Amino acid sequence: MFRAAIACMFTLLAAAPASAQLATNACWPHRNDEVRCAARVDIPAGTRFDVTINATRAGAEARMQADTYVSICGSRGRMVGRTNIPNSGTSRVASFTHEPNPVEHSVQSVVGFCVEVFLVNCTVAGRAESCTNALRIGPSRVELSWAN
């Protein structure tokens, strides 16, 4: 009986992808021509995560700054990453370990944990462009997964 359970467990582990996706959510227009991509997740403390943006280009090729924040949902976050990315394809924008303090941990269990990426300072051919015009908003997404 135990052998069957152990064999089943190993089969499931072998079939699991190397990088399991925990959350994904669409990007939306934000203030001042920015784009906000956010996901709410319930994750254990002390775990390492990767945050990626899957961007879909609208029009010309552009570059943008991706500022990544983590927070208890509804509160001011702390920045965990800043990078420049293109407006098409998949880009890892941050990697972080989730380590809330004891007060945050108890509040997080009620309201949740949020990861937000703000896409700002978009440029096309060196000229400022609205980030909402540089991306196809609906198909562009943020993804949170276990770090390898």
Side-chain angles (χ1 to χ4, degrees), residues 19-39:
S19 173
Q21 185 179 35
L22 296 170
T24 186
N25 204 5
C27 297
W28 298 98
H30 196 53
R31 62 178 177 247
N32 302 326
D33 294 327
E34 297 174 358
V35 172
R36 177 181 177 263
C37 310

Side-chain angles (χ1 to χ4, degrees), residues 35-57:
V35 172
R36 177 181 177 263
C37 310
R40 182 191 181 284
V41 292
D42 294 315
I43 54 179
T47 309
R48 188 139 184 91
F49 301 95
D50 286 331
V51 182
T52 57
I53 293 290
N54 289 315
T56 304
R57 183 167 74 191

Side-chain angles (χ1 to χ4, degrees), residues 92-117:
R92 186 173 77 173
V93 295
S95 189
F96 68 95
T97 301
H98 178 52
E99 296 179 355
N101 65 40
V103 173
E104 288 176 327
H105 187 71
S106 61
V107 173
Q108 175 190 312
S109 65
V110 175
V111 297
F113 176 72
C114 288
V115 176
E116 299 174 288
V117 179

